[in-house]
Amino acid sequence: RCVRAGGKHNDLENVGYTSRHHTFFEMLGNFSFGDYFKADAIRFAWELITEVYGLQVDRLWFTVYTADDEAARLWEEVGARPDRILRFGEKDNFWAMGDTGPCGPCSEIHYYQGADMAGNLPALVNGPGDDTVEIWNLVFMQYERDAAGHMHPLPRPCVDTGAGLERLCTVLQGVHSNYDTDLFAPLLARVAELSQRPYDPESELGPAFRVIADHARAAAFLLTDGVVPSN
């Protein structure tokens, strides 16, 4: 369970205005501390999304860090088409805990959920709109960056992956927005009941409904973890 309403990776201002940003979300993932690394993490991810979840392969895109030839090759080896493997720079495909410390390239899995396959274009990956959405990020912690900016290979590289439950639900339930899934629909219905106004996702009040549903959900989970309001 993750609450993120401030700090380095802050999505607060996007909540309610996109289909996929939240103050609270549930992160699915797997960790390896010096055991398996890049090859197994990619193989596990491919197996889960294509064989277990059964996602359409022709809707999937895979991003790798510009210099990470190994990750690109490993995606090809498990079955990804070369033209579906895209390279991005440090902003999108390199993860660091801070200016110094453990860091490394990452590889994201994106899914096209648009109705028209003619719109399934590489420009939408890390691009505009909500038709192509990132559903999973595989982070490969293989370096330590020192104060001078130099990278030193970690003696035991690690894996840290994160898949958003809400985004996976959207894809698996065949809807276009996290707010249309069974995680949020009952909350939005309750907001409509209390406000005596219907929820119309395209209306001027649509973002307000979504913000209330998101924040109420976040508050409920905070309370279950013992985080209670002060004065």
Side-chain angles (χ1 to χ4, degrees):
R1 300 191 293 272
C2 303
V3 172
R4 194 165 67 190
K8 177 182 176 185
H9 302 287
N10 181 1
D11 296 323
L12 183 60
E13 298 305 318
N14 293 319
V15 172
Y17 293 92
T18 75
S19 69
R20 63 186 189 273
H21 289 106
H22 304 290
T23 55
F24 167 81
F25 54 95
E26 295 193 71
M27 187 65 76
L28 312 173
N30 48 312
F31 294 84
S32 169
F33 301 99
D35 183 12
Y36 66 84
F37 191 50
K38 204 173 291 187
D40 284 330
I42 287 174
R43 180 170 59 85
F44 294 156
W46 176 266
E47 179 182 341
L48 183 64
I49 61 175
T50 63
E51 298 178 26
V52 179
Y53 292 158
L55 297 184
Q56 291 179 245
V57 174
D58 59 353
R59 289 180 176 270
L60 292 168
W61 297 87
F62 308 89
T63 68
V64 300
Y65 180 53
T66 305
D68 196 352
D69 296 332
E70 180 186 14
R73 174 179 56 80
L74 289 168
W75 278 119
E76 283 194 55
E77 289 180 1
V78 296
R81 283 170 27 193
D83 64 318
R84 293 302 179 93
I85 303 168
L86 308 178
R87 297 181 185 243
F88 288 88
E90 188 160 336
K91 174 181 177 292
D92 293 300
N93 278 85
F94 197 91
W95 197 91
M97 295 184 68
D99 294 334
T100 61
C103 59
C106 58
S107 182
E108 295 178 339
I109 302 168
H110 296 249
Y111 185 82
Y112 175 71
Q113 53 185 355
D116 184 0
M117 289 298 285
N120 187 14
L121 303 171
L124 296 183
V125 179
N126 287 329
D130 290 324
D131 279 347
T132 300
V133 61
E134 175 207 336
I135 57 174
W136 199 350
N137 188 14
L138 315 180
V139 178
F140 308 121
M141 290 285 195
Q142 59 186 108
Y143 302 111
E144 181 171 5
R145 182 155 44 194
D146 63 24
H150 300 132
M151 303 283 201
H152 306 280
L154 290 173
R156 301 181 70 191
C158 306
V159 169
D160 169 5
T161 87
L165 172 66
E166 296 80 7
R167 298 185 186 193
L168 283 175
C169 284
T170 297
V171 169
L172 294 175
Q173 293 176 22
V175 294
H176 196 72
S177 167
N178 293 4
Y179 294 94
D180 294 332
T181 66
D182 56 10
L183 296 172
F184 283 94
L187 298 173
L188 290 165
R190 181 63 171 154
V191 176
E193 179 186 349
L194 291 171
S195 66
Q196 299 183 346
R197 294 171 180 265
Y199 170 57
D200 178 356
E202 303 300 327
S203 75
E204 183 181 0
L205 288 177
F209 271 76
R210 292 188 288 271
V211 166
I212 293 169
D214 170 89
H215 288 12
R217 185 168 178 258
F221 275 89
L222 282 168
L223 289 168
T224 67
D225 278 340
V227 181
V228 296
S230 71
N231 59 354

